[in-house]
Amino acid sequence: MYFSLALILASLPFLTAAVPLSESPASRGIAIPITKRGNSFNGVPDTSKLQSGIRRSVSKIQRGFTAYERNTGVAHPLSRSIKHVGRDSGSDPLTDDNALRWYGTISVGTPAVSFTVDFDTGSSDLFLPSSKCGSSCSGHKAYDPNASSTAHDLYTTFSLAYGDGSTATGEQFTDVVSIAGLTAKSQTLGAATQYSSGFSIDNLPADGLMGMAFQSISGYKAPPLFQTLISEGVVTTQVFGFKFATSGSELFLGGTNSALYTGDFTWLSLTLEGYWQASFDSISVDGTSVVESTAAIFDSGTTQIVGDPVGIANIFKQISGARAAPQYGDGTYTIPCSFDTPISIDVGGKTVSISPASFSLGPVSQNSSTCIAGAAADKTLTGDFWILGDVFLQNVYTAWDVGGSRIGFATLA
Ligand SMILES: *[C@@H]1O[C@H](CO)[C@@H](O)[C@H](O)[C@H]1NC(C)=O
Ligand SMILES: *[C@@H]1O[C@H](CO)[C@@H](O)[C@H](O)[C@H]1NC(C)=O
């Protein structure tokens, strides 16, 4: 069974203004500035949106496990680590989808037409609204394969079911796709003929989505764009780098931007090329290790650090003034806004400190001294893996080494 593709979009980062900073040769890499779009109003986080983001992140991961099994014929080793429990009625409204996002621009077809897309390290497929999509796609720019001399119809549909029973359907094509001046001649993409409400323009400011994980979790069984750029010889260094921050964020394609980090990378080998999945060593709070070595999925499309209820409770036990706050969503915790307890995650022997500013998502209401915490529990998780989202990724420069099947961490400059 499929899980919600809307869930994929729920917590996807967006990139803005994919304008190349330089016109350096692809072999030296191309930088794209990215900007965070918050889910807060006057600095107050929208807890219902955060909550639906947690559920959707887990469901997205679950959907990828299903695709993995379909594509490879074997069950994903972590697929038994999600318990099947009833949906939280009311806590997962698909229309209430405005989590932290980053967005950017790609161009598709001949002549090239530009579109905005999410860049998500937690999925692998590219899709846009089709010119055949009716009102469900209104407000988004549509891709018209008939207007592109390089479009090829694969005569293959895609159909993804949503958690609420609605579906997104469409047709697969290959076409020329460019990002920041790097051009893939033949990239598989979906032209959606129907978008669910989770993709409506109010909920999804970008036109579509671009996954940056591996082919084994692709719903199309096709290479993601970066892998196509590699196989077509457009990028020679098979790495992309991300800096996620309140300002100065950047995606770098074809290497890493050495101006944005200091020292060497610490590398974690991926346990499997599906998600960006590797094991961290421990999570420590105030010098005490509270979570031992566990598999993690590094997901730019998830806002928080998401773990199982027991592991998450162990983190908050060590934080003075922290409280379970189910009134803001199942699995949510609050912390005093003045919180400054040291929290760190050890990855491959490197200690990444989670800054208090990144761990606090903002006050529960205007002028409140109680803040929403950057880690939350999902009751379907058994503790066999965690999702390390933006709250972790903002604290370290990351190198996503597709060719080397590893993820690297370096200290932000
Ligand atoms: C492209 O043109 C063909 C023939 O007119 C038509 O059947 C098809 O629906 C068009 N496709 C799109 C995506 O508009
Ligand atoms: C928050 O504080 C500001 C500045 O003191 C004040 O103007 C505003 O009315 C307060 N808002 C609420 C909801 O109490």
Side-chain angles (χ1 to χ4, degrees), residues 130-132 144-146 171:
S130 164
S131 51
K132 285 197 329 204
D144 182 1
N146 285 342
E171 298 161 331

Side-chain angles (χ1 to χ4, degrees), residues 9 21 50 62 81 85 117 129 138 140 268 290 292 296 398 400:
L9 291 191
L21 285 179
L50 273 175
Q62 202 161 13
S81 307
V85 299
V117 289
S138 66
H140 295 294
L268 285 185
V290 291
E292 300 304 321
T398 44
W400 309 70

Side-chain angles (χ1 to χ4, degrees), residues 13-37:
F14 276 58
L15 300 173
T16 52
V19 178
L21 285 179
S22 67
E23 295 298 335
S24 57
S27 59
R28 302 214 318 269
I30 297 283
I32 303 173
I34 57 178
T35 304
K36 189 179 221 167
R37 180 190 155 93

Side-chain angles (χ1 to χ4, degrees), residues 45-375:
D46 184 328
T47 52
S48 67
K49 288 170 180 172
L50 273 175
Q51 174 60 20
S52 52
I54 298 166
R55 281 272 62 235
R56 287 166 194 191
S57 294
V58 175
S59 296
K60 172 180 76 172
I61 302 301
Q62 202 161 13
R63 182 186 156 276
F65 289 158
T66 307
Y68 181 88
E69 184 163 351
R70 194 184 57 242
N71 292 345
T72 66
V74 295
H76 190 288
L78 293 179
S79 62
R80 283 185 298 277
S81 307
I82 297 179
K83 287 183 272 192
H84 293 269
V85 299
R87 284 166 48 80
D88 286 337
S89 56
S91 71
D92 187 15
L94 289 173
T95 52
D96 192 10
D97 172 8
N98 194 18
L100 300 178
R101 300 173 183 283
W102 314 79
Y103 58 95
T105 304
I106 59 172
S107 66
V108 181
T110 308
V113 177
S114 64
F115 298 91
T116 51
V117 289
D118 300 348
F119 286 75
D120 178 27
T121 65
S123 67
S124 297
D125 297 309
L126 170 63
F127 65 83
L128 296 167
S130 164
S131 51
K132 285 197 329 204
C133 187
S135 56
S136 69
C137 296
S138 66
H140 295 294
K141 194 191 270 189
Y143 167 64
D144 182 1
N146 285 342
S148 170
S149 64
T150 44
H152 293 285
D153 196 335
L154 295 176
Y155 298 102
T156 305
T157 57
F158 68 92
S159 177
L160 295 160
Y162 291 72
D164 67 354
S166 63
T167 56
T169 56
E171 298 161 331
Q172 294 180 38
F173 292 85
T174 62
D175 208 338
V176 174
V177 177
S178 297
I179 175 169
L182 306 178
T183 299
K185 289 196 194 74
S186 180
Q187 174 62 38
T188 301
L189 73 155
T193 49
Q194 179 140 29
Y195 264 8
S196 86
S197 57
F199 298 79
S200 73
I201 192 71
D202 290 343
N203 294 316
L204 178 69
D207 300 313
L209 161 71
M210 191 184 114
M212 301 188 82
F214 293 88
Q215 181 172 346
S216 66
I217 60 164
S218 159
Y220 312 148
K221 294 191 181 188
L225 179 61
F226 191 70
Q227 279 82 343
T228 305
L229 292 171
I230 292 169
S231 65
E232 293 185 358
V234 180
V235 292
T236 47
T237 305
Q238 303 181 6
V239 177
F240 56 89
F242 266 120
K243 177 188 175 181
F244 296 109
T246 2
S247 64
S249 299
E250 181 189 277
L251 164 62
F252 194 89
L253 294 164
T256 55
N257 185 348
S258 57
L260 299 182
Y261 60 88
T262 58
D264 294 329
F265 282 96
T266 298
W267 295 99
L268 285 185
S269 293
L270 302 185
T271 38
L272 193 76
E273 289 190 346
Y275 291 102
W276 287 91
Q277 177 199 320
S279 293
F280 62 82
D281 303 327
S282 65
I283 301 178
S284 297
V285 181
D286 212 5
T288 302
S289 171
V290 291
V291 179
E292 300 304 321
S293 178
T294 310
I297 288 170
F298 296 90
D299 182 11
S300 67
T302 291
T303 301
Q304 283 158 292
I305 292 168
V306 181
D308 63 291
V310 173
I312 290 289
N314 287 341
I315 289 177
F316 287 105
K317 269 181 210 154
Q318 300 292 325
I319 298 176
S320 168
R323 288 196 170 68
Q327 68 272 31
Y328 300 115
D330 197 24
T332 301
Y333 281 77
T334 57
I335 48 175
C337 296
S338 58
F339 145 94
D340 62 357
T341 310
I343 298 179
S344 60
I345 302 184
D346 279 25
V347 283
K350 180 181 179 65
T351 300
V352 176
S353 296
I354 309 300
S355 73
S358 65
F359 195 73
S360 170
L361 299 182
V364 295
S365 58
Q366 215 185 341
N367 299 348
S368 172
S369 59
T370 299
C371 279
I372 300 288

